[in-house]
Amino acid sequence: MQLRKLLLALALSAPFAARADMLYVLNSGEASILLLDATTREEIRRIPVLREPHHLVLTPDATQLVIGDSGGNELIFMDARTGEVRRRERISNPYHLEYSPDGRFLVVASLRRDQVDIYQAATLELVHRFRPGDMPSHVAFSPDSRRVFVTMQGDAAVVAFDLESRTQLWSVEVGPQPAGIIWHRGKLLVGIMGSDHFVSLDPETREVTPAFTLGRGAHTIFPSPDGRALFATSRVDSRLAELDPETLAVRRTWNIPGGPDCLTFDPEGRVWMTLRWSGRVAVLDPEQAEWQTIRVGRSPHGIFFKPLREGLSGDFAAAMPGATSGSRPLPAPRGAPEAAPAAPAAVR
């Protein structure tokens, strides 16, 4: 028995370089980070955190995952390849977090404390704190890193800030309980969680127009790695939709029980999603229109697919053509896949 325990401990502590691709899942309802073998779908390990992890982001150099434990007031820095916890930093209520495209700033939306914090990315020095209103939720940037946009769930609005002058630029009402937000083709796409649709917000004119209807609890939207589709979620009606990135027409939808929330993609084009209400993760093959579910922990939220196979890194999506959408967009469209160069570290 003791020998078996020793062998198991050695296996869990070994590097993952020779292992299959890895999936990170944040179980917000049970204060843990779950690491899964993406091939066998088996649990590798479960790392306890203080209270309530929700969202995660890659560091600008793509080597570490930064996980926000919002209830525990802590950031956890993990080696993206091995799952090793490198360090923990005390920080105020990190609910949603994103690095600016130029890698200079880390912006944190604090849902419970009604604040938006701007940190120096390299040092985590707090350079400015905004108190723009009720329930700051999700974060997106302009490609030039000059402006940051935050949805305000309690105020039914999107607020814009200038990162250079540290000023609030404007606030625009968009609809009840706005949640997910991305920069897309010069506009902002926003999920209206208190309704059934997404809106398009022009950051220059501040005009708000309907974008597409998905279902009750319209929540978040993500670009596919190849830039040929957008995928959006509806938590209440439990739907995932694929959209044309140019016209925003809904190409197809899938009714996936359990409340699809955050998404991540693998190099084969499969979509992995957390199901908040069922304690599961689903993996969808859009071409086959089939999905499977994997039991994880209570109320899974953030999710990240990390390739460990030869020749692919965790930021493969940022290096692919057409990846001009998202919270940290590339500065310009890329060419054909075979001619696309690697993305610069500063914009990953």
Side-chain angles (χ1 to χ4, degrees):
M1 181 64 69
Q2 292 300 322
L3 178 60
R4 288 183 62 189
K5 288 182 178 180
L6 176 61
L7 291 174
L8 179 60
L10 289 173
L12 290 177
S13 62
F16 289 101
R19 294 181 182 269
D21 299 336
M22 191 157 56
L23 189 75
Y24 290 81
V25 180
L26 306 188
N27 296 318
S28 64
E30 66 175 42
S32 70
I33 302 165
L34 178 64
L35 278 63
L36 289 174
D37 183 312
T39 300
T40 65
R41 317 287 167 84
E42 294 179 353
E43 181 174 329
I44 298 171
R45 68 172 68 163
R46 198 171 295 226
I47 301 169
V49 299
L50 291 175
R51 187 173 174 185
E52 197 175 14
H54 281 289
H55 293 282
L56 71 171
V57 67
L58 270 175
T59 53
D61 64 4
T63 63
Q64 296 184 72
L65 278 176
V66 186
I67 295 162
D69 182 348
S70 64
N73 298 306
E74 188 174 64
L75 291 183
I76 299 108
F77 289 77
M78 300 182 69
D79 186 302
R81 287 192 60 83
T82 68
E84 176 188 354
V85 175
R86 293 299 182 94
R87 73 184 203 271
R88 298 172 183 255
E89 300 282 353
R90 297 292 294 169
I91 199 169
S92 178
N93 188 216
Y95 176 70
H96 193 263
L97 59 159
E98 287 285 355
Y99 286 97
S100 58
D102 61 9
R104 292 175 57 201
F105 298 106
L106 175 66
V107 176
V108 173
S110 298
L111 190 75
R112 291 193 179 113
R113 294 187 177 176
D114 297 338
Q115 62 200 32
V116 175
D117 290 337
I118 315 298
Y119 294 91
Q120 290 285 354
T123 64
L124 286 186
E125 176 190 357
L126 179 64
V127 296
H128 198 86
R129 171 166 290 165
F130 293 99
R131 296 194 180 275
D134 192 17
M135 298 177 69
S137 181
H138 286 62
V139 177
F141 293 91
S142 60
D144 62 6
S145 297
R146 186 172 184 86
R147 290 173 294 172
V148 61
F149 309 92
V150 180
T151 50
M152 306 294 297
Q153 281 191 29
D155 291 332
V158 171
V159 178
F161 307 95
D162 188 299
L163 285 173
E164 297 300 325
S165 64
R166 315 281 200 270
T167 57
Q168 181 172 322
L169 298 173
W170 46 257
S171 177
V172 174
E173 288 194 14
V174 293
Q177 293 182 279
I181 180 171
I182 64 169
W183 179 280
H184 180 70
R185 309 294 200 266
K187 303 289 181 65
L188 295 163
L189 298 179
V190 184
I192 308 303
M193 191 167 56
S195 187
D196 62 357
H197 64 284
F198 284 71
V199 299
S200 175
L201 168 59
D202 188 318
E204 306 304 328
T205 67
R206 306 177 206 174
E207 180 184 9
V208 179
T209 56
F212 59 93
T213 298
L214 178 55
R216 292 173 301 163
H219 193 60
T220 51
I221 184 166
F222 297 79
S224 66
D226 61 10
R228 296 174 184 169
L230 297 172
F231 287 87
T233 64
S234 155
R235 291 202 308 192
V236 177
D237 281 341
S238 237
R239 291 180 187 143
L240 176 73
E242 178 192 327
L243 298 104
D244 185 298
E246 300 300 332
T247 66
L248 300 184
V250 177
R251 291 172 175 164
R252 48 189 171 171
T253 61
W254 297 270
N255 294 314
I256 301 178
D261 199 318
C262 290
L263 309 180
T264 189
F265 303 87
D266 66 24
E268 285 67 48
R270 291 182 292 250
V271 187
W272 299 70
M273 69 204 79
T274 48
L275 303 177
R276 289 294 297 279
W277 319 134
S278 66
R280 295 178 181 270
V281 162
V283 53
L284 166 75
D285 184 334
E287 297 308 314
Q288 301 298 322
E290 297 176 347
W291 69 87
Q292 298 174 326
T293 63
I294 309 156
R295 183 171 295 280
V296 287
R298 291 193 304 275
S299 193
H301 201 169
I303 186 170
F304 177 74
F305 188 96
K306 171 61 181 174
L308 292 175
R309 67 190 79 172
E310 194 69 29
L312 283 171
S313 63
D315 60 336
F316 75 95
M320 295 188 72
T324 55
S325 304
S327 294
R328 293 185 292 153
L330 295 179
R334 296 195 180 278
E338 60 271 18
V347 297
R348 288 175 176 169

